Amino acid sequence: MSAQQPLSDDTQFVRVQREDFSVDAEINRVRGSSKRIGGISIFLGTARDRSKGRDVDSITFEHYEGMAQKKLREIRERALKDFDIIEVAILHRYGEIGIGENIVLIVVGAEHRASAFQACKWAIDELKQITPIWKLEHTPEGEVWVEEHP
């Protein structure tokens, strides 16, 4: 995509990408979508160095190309329909991610905070349930696929 082409809503607000993202840029993207936005709620998932009592050196995320993006678009559309919100952005990274790096970001803009909080929580819970993205933890003892989604 060239720099001159405007991004579609799908591309602006829903992305699965290898590279890191700027939390500030994504908040500003949602904030800039409407002057009615009075509250923004975010969830930022980052890679931690412990899991189930084990040290973790890094995490690799794999995804089902096309289907992961489709599920994230569905989550965005349902959030916009079912909650009193104005905009939502959903980003998830894939590939190897170092400890402390960004993994996933949900940004929800609404007129009021209660709706923003509710939609943000619902969106991350739904993402973990239905999006075909898998996590492989690299530990000193070896690699471990993580099946559950707490």
Side-chain angles (χ1 to χ4, degrees):
M1 181 177 300
S2 76
Q4 286 83 25
Q5 291 179 318
L7 297 174
S8 69
D9 278 0
D10 278 356
T11 306
Q12 280 189 49
F13 296 111
V14 174
R15 297 195 309 275
V16 179
Q17 61 189 46
R18 181 178 296 275
E19 63 276 1
D20 198 4
F21 47 79
S22 162
V23 175
D24 287 343
E26 301 308 326
I27 290 171
N28 286 333
R29 187 183 319 277
V30 167
R31 183 191 342 242
S33 68
S34 173
K35 294 185 184 217
R36 282 188 301 130
I37 291 176
I40 294 175
S41 179
I42 71 163
F43 173 81
L44 174 64
T46 60
R48 64 180 181 274
D49 68 353
R50 296 279 295 167
S51 176
K52 296 183 179 177
R54 294 184 302 253
D55 290 333
V56 175
D57 299 323
S58 65
I59 303 170
T60 298
F61 286 90
E62 295 186 3
H63 71 292
Y64 178 0
E65 179 65 32
M67 184 57 76
Q69 291 86 344
K70 179 178 185 247
K71 292 298 182 185
L72 294 183
R73 285 193 301 273
E74 288 174 7
I75 292 168
R76 178 177 177 265
E77 290 164 9
R78 285 180 49 205
L80 290 168
K81 178 176 169 274
D82 295 346
F83 294 89
D84 188 18
I85 62 173
I86 297 169
E87 191 52 84
V88 58
I90 306 171
L91 287 78
H92 203 297
R93 292 179 63 201
Y94 67 91
E96 187 166 346
I97 295 175
I99 301 304
E101 291 185 26
N102 297 328
I103 300 170
V104 60
L105 177 67
I106 310 278
V107 182
V108 177
E111 287 188 51
H112 303 286
R113 69 181 181 276
S115 299
F117 282 133
Q118 291 168 348
C120 190
K121 182 185 182 317
W122 176 83
I124 189 62
D125 289 347
E126 192 71 2
L127 180 152
K128 287 182 170 266
Q129 292 297 315
I130 71 167
T131 306
I133 296 175
W134 303 278
K135 179 165 65 172
L136 177 65
E137 293 176 342
H138 304 274
T139 74
E141 295 79 31
E143 298 177 336
V144 179
W145 284 103
V146 177
E147 294 183 18
E148 69 283 354
H149 302 283

PDB file of all heavy atoms in Angstrom, residues 96-112:
ATOM      1  N   GLU A  96       8.118 -13.638  16.881  1.00  0.00           N
ATOM      2  CA  GLU A  96       8.761 -13.712  18.191  1.00  0.00           C
ATOM      3  C   GLU A  96       8.744 -12.343  18.856  1.00  0.00           C
ATOM      4  O   GLU A  96       9.101 -11.336  18.235  1.00  0.00           O
ATOM      5  CB  GLU A  96      10.191 -14.230  18.079  1.00  0.00           C
ATOM      6  CG  GLU A  96      10.796 -14.463  19.460  1.00  0.00           C
ATOM      7  CD  GLU A  96      12.073 -15.293  19.413  1.00  0.00           C
ATOM      8  OE1 GLU A  96      12.355 -15.905  18.382  1.00  0.00           O
ATOM      9  OE2 GLU A  96      12.776 -15.316  20.445  1.00  0.00           O
ATOM     10  N   ILE A  97       8.328 -12.343  20.115  1.00  0.00           N
ATOM     11  CA  ILE A  97       8.179 -11.108  20.882  1.00  0.00           C
ATOM     12  C   ILE A  97       8.993 -11.243  22.164  1.00  0.00           C
ATOM     13  O   ILE A  97       8.852 -12.225  22.899  1.00  0.00           O
ATOM     14  CB  ILE A  97       6.685 -10.842  21.179  1.00  0.00           C
ATOM     15  CG1 ILE A  97       5.953 -10.594  19.848  1.00  0.00           C
ATOM     16  CG2 ILE A  97       6.513  -9.668  22.143  1.00  0.00           C
ATOM     17  CD1 ILE A  97       4.465 -10.439  19.968  1.00  0.00           C
ATOM     18  N   GLY A  98       9.837 -10.266  22.407  1.00  0.00           N
ATOM     19  CA  GLY A  98      10.683 -10.283  23.594  1.00  0.00           C
ATOM     20  C   GLY A  98       9.926  -9.890  24.848  1.00  0.00           C
ATOM     21  O   GLY A  98       8.866  -9.251  24.793  1.00  0.00           O
ATOM     22  N   ILE A  99      10.461 -10.256  25.988  1.00  0.00           N
ATOM     23  CA  ILE A  99       9.861  -9.924  27.276  1.00  0.00           C
ATOM     24  C   ILE A  99       9.744  -8.401  27.401  1.00  0.00           C
ATOM     25  O   ILE A  99      10.681  -7.669  27.116  1.00  0.00           O
ATOM     26  CB  ILE A  99      10.707 -10.501  28.428  1.00  0.00           C
ATOM     27  CG1 ILE A  99      10.812 -12.026  28.283  1.00  0.00           C
ATOM     28  CG2 ILE A  99      10.148 -10.095  29.796  1.00  0.00           C
ATOM     29  CD1 ILE A  99       9.479 -12.750  28.208  1.00  0.00           C
ATOM     30  N   GLY A 100       8.563  -7.969  27.820  1.00  0.00           N
ATOM     31  CA  GLY A 100       8.292  -6.545  27.998  1.00  0.00           C
ATOM     32  C   GLY A 100       7.754  -5.862  26.762  1.00  0.00           C
ATOM     33  O   GLY A 100       7.272  -4.725  26.843  1.00  0.00           O
ATOM     34  N   GLU A 101       7.771  -6.537  25.618  1.00  0.00           N
ATOM     35  CA  GLU A 101       7.269  -5.908  24.391  1.00  0.00           C
ATOM     36  C   GLU A 101       5.744  -5.992  24.307  1.00  0.00           C
ATOM     37  O   GLU A 101       5.114  -6.843  24.936  1.00  0.00           O
ATOM     38  CB  GLU A 101       7.873  -6.602  23.162  1.00  0.00           C
ATOM     39  CG  GLU A 101       9.350  -6.369  22.993  1.00  0.00           C
ATOM     40  CD  GLU A 101       9.869  -6.985  21.701  1.00  0.00           C
ATOM     41  OE1 GLU A 101       9.099  -7.141  20.733  1.00  0.00           O
ATOM     42  OE2 GLU A 101      11.070  -7.317  21.668  1.00  0.00           O
ATOM     43  N   ASN A 102       5.181  -5.128  23.483  1.00  0.00           N
ATOM     44  CA  ASN A 102       3.736  -5.113  23.236  1.00  0.00           C
ATOM     45  C   ASN A 102       3.311  -6.357  22.460  1.00  0.00           C
ATOM     46  O   ASN A 102       4.004  -6.783  21.537  1.00  0.00           O
ATOM     47  CB  ASN A 102       3.340  -3.891  22.402  1.00  0.00           C
ATOM     48  CG  ASN A 102       3.618  -2.594  23.112  1.00  0.00           C
ATOM     49  OD1 ASN A 102       3.544  -2.523  24.338  1.00  0.00           O
ATOM     50  ND2 ASN A 102       3.923  -1.554  22.349  1.00  0.00           N
ATOM     51  N   ILE A 103       2.132  -6.881  22.838  1.00  0.00           N
ATOM     52  CA  ILE A 103       1.545  -8.019  22.118  1.00  0.00           C
ATOM     53  C   ILE A 103       0.231  -7.617  21.469  1.00  0.00           C
ATOM     54  O   ILE A 103       0.033  -7.802  20.275  1.00  0.00           O
ATOM     55  CB  ILE A 103       1.287  -9.213  23.064  1.00  0.00           C
ATOM     56  CG1 ILE A 103       2.575  -9.694  23.700  1.00  0.00           C
ATOM     57  CG2 ILE A 103       0.562 -10.327  22.310  1.00  0.00           C
ATOM     58  CD1 ILE A 103       2.370 -10.697  24.827  1.00  0.00           C
ATOM     59  N   VAL A 104      -0.689  -7.131  22.291  1.00  0.00           N
ATOM     60  CA  VAL A 104      -2.045  -6.853  21.811  1.00  0.00           C
ATOM     61  C   VAL A 104      -2.516  -5.529  22.395  1.00  0.00           C
ATOM     62  O   VAL A 104      -2.159  -5.169  23.519  1.00  0.00           O
ATOM     63  CB  VAL A 104      -3.004  -8.016  22.188  1.00  0.00           C
ATOM     64  CG1 VAL A 104      -3.075  -8.222  23.691  1.00  0.00           C
ATOM     65  CG2 VAL A 104      -4.405  -7.807  21.626  1.00  0.00           C
ATOM     66  N   LEU A 105      -3.342  -4.822  21.606  1.00  0.00           N
ATOM     67  CA  LEU A 105      -3.876  -3.533  22.053  1.00  0.00           C
ATOM     68  C   LEU A 105      -5.335  -3.422  21.635  1.00  0.00           C
ATOM     69  O   LEU A 105      -5.679  -3.689  20.482  1.00  0.00           O
ATOM     70  CB  LEU A 105      -3.083  -2.386  21.418  1.00  0.00           C
ATOM     71  CG  LEU A 105      -3.565  -0.970  21.746  1.00  0.00           C
ATOM     72  CD1 LEU A 105      -3.345  -0.647  23.222  1.00  0.00           C
ATOM     73  CD2 LEU A 105      -2.834   0.044  20.864  1.00  0.00           C
ATOM     74  N   ILE A 106      -6.163  -3.041  22.606  1.00  0.00           N
ATOM     75  CA  ILE A 106      -7.561  -2.706  22.345  1.00  0.00           C
ATOM     76  C   ILE A 106      -7.725  -1.256  22.786  1.00  0.00           C
ATOM     77  O   ILE A 106      -7.376  -0.920  23.920  1.00  0.00           O
ATOM     78  CB  ILE A 106      -8.543  -3.575  23.168  1.00  0.00           C
ATOM     79  CG1 ILE A 106      -8.222  -5.057  23.058  1.00  0.00           C
ATOM     80  CG2 ILE A 106      -9.983  -3.248  22.828  1.00  0.00           C
ATOM     81  CD1 ILE A 106      -8.728  -5.748  21.861  1.00  0.00           C
ATOM     82  N   VAL A 107      -8.264  -0.420  21.934  1.00  0.00           N
ATOM     83  CA  VAL A 107      -8.539   0.977  22.271  1.00  0.00           C
ATOM     84  C   VAL A 107     -10.005   1.237  21.949  1.00  0.00           C
ATOM     85  O   VAL A 107     -10.427   1.035  20.811  1.00  0.00           O
ATOM     86  CB  VAL A 107      -7.663   1.956  21.463  1.00  0.00           C
ATOM     87  CG1 VAL A 107      -7.960   3.397  21.887  1.00  0.00           C
ATOM     88  CG2 VAL A 107      -6.186   1.635  21.623  1.00  0.00           C
ATOM     89  N   VAL A 108     -10.767   1.663  22.959  1.00  0.00           N
ATOM     90  CA  VAL A 108     -12.187   1.916  22.772  1.00  0.00           C
ATOM     91  C   VAL A 108     -12.488   3.371  23.127  1.00  0.00           C
ATOM     92  O   VAL A 108     -12.145   3.824  24.217  1.00  0.00           O
ATOM     93  CB  VAL A 108     -13.052   0.989  23.654  1.00  0.00           C
ATOM     94  CG1 VAL A 108     -14.530   1.318  23.498  1.00  0.00           C
ATOM     95  CG2 VAL A 108     -12.781  -0.474  23.322  1.00  0.00           C
ATOM     96  N   GLY A 109     -13.144   4.074  22.217  1.00  0.00           N
ATOM     97  CA  GLY A 109     -13.580   5.447  22.451  1.00  0.00           C
ATOM     98  C   GLY A 109     -15.088   5.509  22.580  1.00  0.00           C
ATOM     99  O   GLY A 109     -15.811   4.913  21.767  1.00  0.00           O
ATOM    100  N   ALA A 110     -15.559   6.211  23.606  1.00  0.00           N
ATOM    101  CA  ALA A 110     -16.999   6.346  23.845  1.00  0.00           C
ATOM    102  C   ALA A 110     -17.265   7.734  24.419  1.00  0.00           C
ATOM    103  O   ALA A 110     -16.340   8.451  24.794  1.00  0.00           O
ATOM    104  CB  ALA A 110     -17.482   5.269  24.821  1.00  0.00           C
ATOM    105  N   GLU A 111     -18.547   8.090  24.488  1.00  0.00           N
ATOM    106  CA  GLU A 111     -18.878   9.367  25.121  1.00  0.00           C
ATOM    107  C   GLU A 111     -18.578   9.306  26.609  1.00  0.00           C
ATOM    108  O   GLU A 111     -18.162  10.294  27.207  1.00  0.00           O
ATOM    109  CB  GLU A 111     -20.350   9.706  24.889  1.00  0.00           C
ATOM    110  CG  GLU A 111     -20.633  10.123  23.453  1.00  0.00           C
ATOM    111  CD  GLU A 111     -22.035  10.648  23.275  1.00  0.00           C
ATOM    112  OE1 GLU A 111     -22.451  11.549  24.048  1.00  0.00           O
ATOM    113  OE2 GLU A 111     -22.733  10.146  22.366  1.00  0.00           O
ATOM    114  N   HIS A 112     -18.820   8.124  27.216  1.00  0.00           N
ATOM    115  CA  HIS A 112     -18.669   7.985  28.665  1.00  0.00           C
ATOM    116  C   HIS A 112     -17.831   6.758  29.008  1.00  0.00           C
ATOM    117  O   HIS A 112     -17.824   5.772  28.280  1.00  0.00           O
ATOM    118  CB  HIS A 112     -20.044   7.889  29.320  1.00  0.00           C
ATOM    119  CG  HIS A 112     -20.915   9.064  28.990  1.00  0.00           C
ATOM    120  ND1 HIS A 112     -20.715  10.299  29.541  1.00  0.00           N
ATOM    121  CD2 HIS A 112     -21.938   9.186  28.108  1.00  0.00           C
ATOM    122  CE1 HIS A 112     -21.611  11.145  29.045  1.00  0.00           C
ATOM    123  NE2 HIS A 112     -22.364  10.495  28.166  1.00  0.00           N
TER     124      HIS A 112
END
